[in-house]
Amino acid sequence: GFLSYEMGASRAKNALAAGVKNILALAFIIPVFFFVGWWIYSAFPGGFTIADGASAALPWSSSMGPNIEDRATGIFWAAFTLFGATTASILSGSLIERVRMSAFVIMAVFLGAVVWILAAAWGWHPSGWMLTELGFHDVAAAGCVHTVAGFFALGVLINLGARIGKFGKNGEINDIPAHNLPMTLVGLMLIIVGFFGFLGGCIIYGDWTTIYGNPTNLSAFGFNTLMGFAGGVIGAYAVSREPFWMMSGGLAGIISAAAGLDLYYPPLAFVIAFLGGCMIPVAGKFIEKMGLDDAVGAVAVHGFAGVWSMVAAGIFLHGYPNMGDLPPITLWGQIIGAVVMAATGFIPGYLLSLLLRSVGILRVPPEVEEAGLDAVEIPTKA
């Protein structure tokens, strides 16, 4: 889905570079997540102090390989690895047509195997401090996946700069059209279909609980994923009348409902998603007016919709109890959680891209950008 989405959104001279970036990010993240990422999730739910039992997630432990007495670790590791790859693909779309391949891989691995999983340890782990202290609820990872990746991309965009020709001398905003918008729409639909696997992976089968230990089932996820998709599409289309934002609205709608996906009455999920779909074209235009060139609207679709998802859960689920002695869901806890997730993405994204820019490897030279990344970085024609 991300391959098709980003290759279609690129101009033809950059289409293969957009695809290759995604494949390389996935390939590099997998081993790094095996050696580092899974341990981070187990080690830091309480903050920056290593938790007891984290050694079970070290790459040489008995659970990190074929072990007939451990049926679950490899499945969870694989799912979390692909969540990490998702954050890298979210970043990838923002940066198409001007980021250097090597710099992107460095940033993608750091985001996908270190940054997002630290946020997941805090806000998604059943012992995470955001749950135990704030009652934080984000059952389908609107925060640790989408908000973190969206705001990481925002930090990078500030240092990367806009594509040549995106902004005129007097600040006017020029459209850089996709070379194959139908491919982009197909890609977005593939991502949305893939969301069923992604969100289903947020259920602990056998126990039939959420990641937080709350009872749930596939019906909740089925109802609210589809209602979220529909609400987001309709909202984005109502505001923009643009095919690209319409389909992006489907993605943003599911993200908007994601934080409370296990608890919402389906018409409420539709309304929350509709509002999220209405917001993202406006947020995308606002980002452009700030002088930032987010080529696929990833900051709006993932970052802003992710924040709205967490805040909406605080509004509509305020006072809902968590299991055992854990504090209930509150609006204040959800707002703090949204700020933490956004900062956890933005600060590393900004600092790492600033470092890469300072050593001259963040962006391709102007002549390469003019010729097209495919001709230089791949090198072949799409």
Side-chain angles (χ1 to χ4, degrees):
F2 278 110
L3 281 169
S4 179
Y5 176 34
E6 293 175 26
M7 288 192 294
S10 300
R11 287 167 286 186
K13 64 182 181 179
N14 299 311
L16 283 175
V20 169
K21 282 198 289 98
N22 273 276
I23 296 169
L24 283 176
L26 174 60
F28 276 94
I29 285 170
I30 289 169
V32 177
F33 200 85
F34 180 85
F35 287 107
V36 177
W38 189 243
W39 179 80
I40 290 174
Y41 181 69
S42 301
F44 297 113
F48 292 104
T49 302
I50 297 175
D52 295 337
S55 59
L58 290 169
W60 51 80
S61 73
S62 61
S63 64
M64 296 298 286
N67 182 343
I68 61 172
E69 294 181 355
D70 184 346
R71 301 178 182 181
T73 297
I75 299 298
F76 277 97
W77 170 83
F80 277 55
T81 301
L82 294 174
F83 294 164
T86 298
T87 66
S89 287
I90 292 167
L91 172 67
S92 175
S94 273
L95 315 181
I96 55 173
E97 303 198 303
R98 74 274 203 200
V99 70
R100 195 182 292 264
M101 190 79 70
S102 55
F104 168 74
V105 170
I106 291 168
M107 292 187 291
V109 169
F110 189 60
L111 170 60
V114 178
V115 175
W116 98 267
I117 195 61
L118 180 62
W122 294 344
W124 220 33
H125 194 286
S127 299
W129 68 266
M130 292 170 66
L131 171 64
T132 59
E133 299 297 325
L134 304 173
F136 182 70
H137 193 84
D138 180 24
V139 73
C144 59
V145 171
H146 298 285
T147 300
V148 167
F151 278 86
F152 189 102
L154 178 62
V156 175
L157 287 171
I158 292 171
N159 290 309
L160 180 66
R163 290 168 289 179
I164 295 172
K166 177 63 179 178
F167 299 106
K169 293 181 179 179
N170 298 317
E172 62 270 22
I173 301 170
N174 300 315
D175 184 41
I176 299 179
H179 93 277
N180 192 332
L181 192 55
M183 179 184 284
T184 294
L185 298 184
V186 169
L188 281 163
M189 278 303 297
L190 287 170
I191 294 170
I192 288 161
V193 171
F195 248 109
F196 281 94
F198 181 98
L199 299 174
C202 300
I203 297 174
I204 299 174
Y205 294 93
D207 294 337
W208 291 101
T209 63
T210 68
I211 200 84
Y212 302 122
N214 299 326
T216 192
N217 57 37
L218 278 172
S219 287
F221 284 66
F223 276 129
N224 291 328
T225 301
L226 281 178
M227 293 292 266
F229 163 73
V233 167
I234 294 170
Y237 184 71
V239 170
S240 72
R241 295 295 196 273
E242 295 179 15
F244 176 82
W245 282 114
M246 177 194 73
M247 283 307 308
S248 297
L251 192 55
I254 297 173
I255 296 167
S256 296
L261 203 71
D262 58 325
L263 298 175
Y264 289 142
Y265 176 52
L268 176 59
F270 178 89
V271 170
I272 292 170
F274 174 82
L275 294 173
C278 290
M279 292 176 190
I280 60 154
V282 177
K285 299 298 182 186
F286 175 75
I287 290 164
E288 278 193 335
K289 289 179 180 179
M290 291 173 59
L292 299 174
D293 181 13
D294 181 359
V296 299
V299 177
V301 173
H302 298 275
F304 279 74
V307 168
W308 162 237
S309 184
M310 289 178 281
V311 173
I315 295 170
F316 294 105
L317 300 175
H318 182 85
Y320 196 94
N322 280 301
M323 294 298 289
D325 296 327
L326 295 171
I329 301 167
T330 65
L331 176 57
W332 183 238
Q334 293 298 112
I335 291 172
I336 294 173
V339 171
V340 169
M341 292 294 178
T344 302
F346 178 80
I347 294 170
Y350 179 82
L351 293 177
L352 179 56
S353 59
L354 181 64
L355 174 63
L356 293 171
R357 188 182 72 173
S358 69
V359 296
I361 63 170
L362 180 62
R363 183 170 178 149
V364 299
E367 59 270 20
V368 172
E369 187 175 347
E370 293 282 10
L373 273 64
D374 287 3
V376 178
E377 294 236 67
I378 303 301
T380 188
K381 292 184 178 179

